[in-house]
Amino acid sequence: MTNYNLSEKIALITGGSRGIGRQIVLHLADSGANVAFTYRSRKEDADALVAEVQAKGQKAVAYQSNAADHAQSNEVVQQVIKEFGRLDILVNNAGITKDGLLMRMSEQDWDDVIQTNLKSVFNFTKAVCRQMMGQQAGKIINIASVVGVVGNAGQANYVASKAGVIGFTKSIAKELASRNIQVNAIAPGFIETEMTEKLNEKQKEAILGIIPQKRIAKPEEIASVVCFLASADSNYITGQVLCVDGGMAM
Ligand code: NAI
């Protein structure tokens, strides 16, 4: 439960059906927002989440789409605006990893990660721009990563995509500031989701060693920060990268 008042707000979250995105959907709904979210493949999970949000008394719609696809992303945004009449909050959350040392990284692994993590942010942000400019208000929140700030061996594609998201965030924040649209990024550290489940015990131990708070976070701990950045409480914050990482980058 959060203390932010987002009643009457319409939010769109990419990759909302599981992990961090799922908690973002639930927290925004708990704050009073009606939510639309996209998902890639697991329809049952998406349907269950729609029902969960509706049980809270909020409106929810799920769209199956590939965030890396420009035309599909634009289509989703147009449908959301048609369905809800406006769009106040965009959370660019969809993301993947395809880790490997550069020597072994294939062109496909590079392209897939850049398209899904970085191009998707361009796709959705461009698609919502006109609507938010017309409203003279909007909140765009991009989920980057702490490794996009400090780098990480074995993740050159992922790190490049997240560093790209950070640069994109700052540039668009400058472009849209005068229109009362705030654009910020969150850089999570290590969060308990399917993405980090893939790590072996040795990798997890090494990670704990570099987190001053000595623990991996829950997705809820990112979702509550999204609610803050989506709320009027953060109206004078734009172009920032908020590290939510237990102290990894400071
Ligand atoms: P996850 O693997 O549990 O969920 C990823 C979500 O993205 C899923 O809902 C999936 O359907 C969606 N997705 C993936 N490719 C897509 C595509 N092409 N089109 C539409 N949706 C797509 O991952 P998690 O951990 O919840 O990650 C969410 C975001 O947080 C990602 O951007 C990730 O890079 C970022 N992040 C995660 C961290 C972690 O430790 N779990 C740390 C730092 C950042």
Side-chain angles (χ1 to χ4, degrees):
M1 195 60 187
T2 73
N3 295 319
Y4 302 106
N5 179 8
L6 301 176
S7 60
E8 308 299 319
K9 301 290 183 196
I10 309 300
L12 169 61
I13 300 97
T14 66
S17 61
R18 66 168 199 257
I20 295 171
R22 181 172 186 281
Q23 284 303 324
I24 293 172
V25 168
L26 290 170
H27 275 62
L28 289 171
D30 279 339
S31 305
N34 292 315
V35 290
F37 67 89
T38 72
Y39 65 99
R40 184 76 208 263
S41 54
R42 297 191 207 162
K43 188 172 185 320
E44 312 78 58
D45 289 357
D47 290 344
L49 183 57
V50 166
E52 201 173 333
V53 172
Q54 286 170 344
K56 293 176 187 290
Q58 303 307 125
K59 220 173 146 184
V61 184
Y63 299 88
Q64 181 164 27
S65 92
N66 176 8
D69 185 302
H70 191 70
Q72 273 185 42
S73 305
N74 197 44
E75 179 58 25
V76 167
V77 169
Q78 297 321 314
Q79 283 185 37
V80 172
I81 293 168
K82 203 168 158 205
E83 175 75 26
F84 292 88
R86 55 185 291 119
L87 184 48
D88 304 289
I89 301 158
L90 168 67
V91 186
N92 283 306
N93 166 76
I96 56 167
T97 51
K98 291 204 172 178
D99 296 350
L101 293 169
L102 181 61
M103 290 292 285
R104 288 194 217 117
M105 187 175 289
S106 68
E107 186 183 0
Q108 192 65 53
D109 287 350
W110 172 269
D111 287 346
D112 287 350
V113 170
I114 297 291
Q115 298 271 330
T116 304
N117 297 6
L118 180 56
K119 190 179 176 203
S120 62
V121 178
F122 162 75
N123 290 343
F124 275 90
T125 307
K126 186 170 163 66
V128 304
C129 244
R130 193 177 298 275
Q131 177 69 25
M132 287 186 177
M133 284 164 85
Q135 292 171 187
Q136 287 277 317
K139 298 278 190 181
I140 299 172
I141 301 150
N142 299 324
I143 307 300
S145 169
V146 70
V147 298
V149 178
V150 300
N152 198 22
Q155 287 197 304
N157 51 359
Y158 183 76
V159 170
S161 74
K162 296 301 189 180
V165 167
I166 289 171
F168 181 87
T169 301
K170 292 178 183 177
S171 302
I172 305 308
K174 287 187 175 179
E175 286 188 23
L176 300 181
S178 64
R179 304 303 187 105
N180 191 31
I181 300 168
Q182 290 83 49
V183 188
N184 291 290
I186 295 175
F190 286 88
I191 319 297
E192 234 177 74
T193 66
E194 285 185 28
M195 189 174 271
T196 44
E197 250 172 39
K198 291 183 219 160
L199 301 169
N200 62 37
E201 281 312 310
K202 208 172 146 211
Q203 287 170 314
K204 282 189 187 163
E205 224 167 84
I207 286 163
L208 282 178
I210 55 166
I211 305 173
Q213 283 188 217
K214 296 285 173 232
R215 68 177 179 86
I216 290 180
K218 301 251 180 244
E220 292 86 327
E221 297 181 272
I222 303 301
S224 56
V225 180
V226 169
C227 290
F228 166 63
L229 289 176
S231 76
D233 291 30
S234 60
N235 276 355
Y236 203 52
I237 300 177
T238 199
Q240 300 305 304
V241 183
L242 204 42
C243 292
V244 185
D245 62 359
M248 280 177 73
M250 60 168 95

